[in-house]
Amino acid sequence: MTKKAIFDFLERERAMPARIPLQLRRDGDWGELYGRFGEDEAKHQAGRCLDCGNPYCSWGCPLHNRIPQWLELAREGRIIEAAALCHETNPLPEICGRVCPQDRLCEGSCTLNDGFGAVTIGAVEKYIVDAALAQGWTPDLSQAPATGKRVAIVGAGPAGLACADRLARAGIAATVFDRYEKIGGLLHFGIPTFKLERAVLDQRHGVLAGMGVQFRLGMEVGRDVSMQSLLDDFDAVFLGIGSYRYTDGRLPGQELHNVLPALPFLVQNGRIVIGDDTEGRAIAGWEDQIALPDLKGRRVVVLGGGDTGMDCVRSAIRLGAAGVQCVYRRDEANMPGSAREVANAREEGVEFLFNRQPLALLGEGSVSAVRVAETRLGEPDARGRRNAEVVAGSESELEADVVIIAFGFQPDPPDGLAAHGIQAEANGRIRVGSALPYQTSNPKVFAGGDGVRGADLVVTAVQEGRDAAAGIATLLNGMQLAKTD
């Protein structure tokens, strides 16, 4: 065990793992942007932690990860113990270490973020779990004897996978159903490989299978298996169905050729990148198997400033677009996406047009321009965000060969849930909050993730899947899983 210097943060600056060179990204390199820390680098960065008496980083994380504790274990080189501690609160730590907006959450809350540079929490988390798995670490289930209870999980996205992990740790057999042929949901088919390499998901699939989780992939509930059969055959059901229905801005001209919805664009391009250009299936009214236009040398405009929009603009750069513009109706400070993702996009050549409201798409047959108007921020809306108000007489046109619409997504629950006593809100979100955490109006059915709260972060879906499993364990076993907050 090495002795920690109290003022390591003064001697060592914040550092991130080396990145793929800019020119390679512009030339179409789809590998993960950030590399991996070596052992010494990880120890040095972990050693910058102040081990605050009130760990703001932990409170800034929806999972309330025990960040100072596993940073100290990493600094001491106790990687297996660090990985086990990571997994106590986070069923998918190596994934969150890659895709979480740490700048808005744990690192944004770090005491050192004000003047010295936050501890590189996400990159150390990624190092811990990658290193432990490479050494053969697997979750210890010796204290989880089989209960004989069985749960069906609908959806192999982050909420469903997190729920399966926690059920396995409670001795409850989990079977995961998903219409796609790979686990991950939009982790696999929506998030570009420059943020999350698919081998990471394949590895997590193996870990979960080793824990006894069964997968029924390529099986869609409502088509290949009925909801009623799940209710009949299993002791409980968890719905982690995500949000796939795009937010329709109802822009005039959005039916023009080369106007693409963000999700099918990302899904289909992701399939091509990983060499799996197979026939897709319909997603909420759009076809996820679409004919992608050649973006080389073309002008691309992306409408929307969230993380999906950032995935689109950065993908367009790698696909050889001559110019990529991102149009967002508020200012940069109010963008919902990660500031780090915005910085990466800007470095790669994306032009941001803030305070612009799209009004219409123009063209004859194919899109040729986007009509926009300038905006100013007005009074806050119901959520406290200031509304974007159009400035009269400020209209202009942006030339565009391809337009990608990334206004966000809403839940689109499958038909027939009401027939099983599962109520939904007016906006389509599944209603939860009965006697147990994430229990629906059908006491045998639980739900969590984007299908409950609307499109949100991966880490919040993981948190809801994890906590729903605690409710299921209470229902089935009369037991309470260890609290993680």
Side-chain angles (χ1 to χ4, degrees), residues 300-475:
V300 177
V301 175
V302 175
L303 307 180
D307 285 332
T308 298
M310 296 308 96
D311 291 344
C312 290
V313 295
R314 298 182 65 202
S315 294
I317 289 290
R318 286 160 175 75
L319 290 169
V324 180
Q325 294 177 313
C326 178
V327 174
Y328 181 57
R329 61 179 177 167
R330 294 184 174 92
D331 60 13
E332 184 168 3
N334 282 281
M335 287 187 75
S338 163
R340 186 169 64 193
E341 287 299 295
V342 173
N344 287 331
R346 185 175 275 126
E347 180 187 52
E348 290 168 5
V350 176
E351 178 185 3
F352 287 88
L353 300 177
F354 297 108
N355 296 111
R356 301 287 201 284
Q357 174 72 51
L359 302 177
L361 307 178
L362 311 176
E364 297 290 335
S366 294
V367 68
S368 60
V370 182
R371 180 179 293 132
V372 299
E374 295 181 15
T375 64
R376 57 172 169 254
L377 296 181
E379 294 300 315
D381 60 17
R383 297 178 297 170
R385 298 186 71 200
R386 296 174 65 188
N387 286 301
E389 300 175 347
V390 171
V391 177
S394 64
E395 294 186 11
S396 61
E397 295 181 5
L398 306 174
E399 294 183 343
D401 301 308
V402 176
V403 174
I404 302 172
I405 300 176
F407 289 151
F409 307 95
Q410 297 295 327
D412 189 42
D415 295 336
L417 291 186
H420 301 288
I422 304 167
Q423 298 176 359
E425 307 290 353
N427 56 13
R429 299 178 187 178
I430 298 173
R431 184 179 300 170
V432 298
S434 296
L436 293 168
Y438 300 97
Q439 189 176 37
T440 72
S441 47
N442 181 330
K444 195 174 179 178
V445 179
F446 293 71
D450 290 0
V452 168
R453 66 165 54 227
D456 207 330
L457 302 174
V458 169
V459 67
T460 55
V462 172
Q463 173 256 308
E464 294 196 350
R466 179 197 70 182
D467 294 351
I472 295 172
T474 300
L475 174 73

Side-chain angles (χ1 to χ4, degrees), residues 169-191:
R169 292 169 186 267
I172 299 171
T175 301
V176 183
F177 296 83
D178 197 280
R179 63 177 172 173
Y180 286 114
E181 65 276 14
K182 294 280 189 177
I183 72 163
L186 293 184
L187 291 174
H188 186 100
F189 295 102
I191 292 181

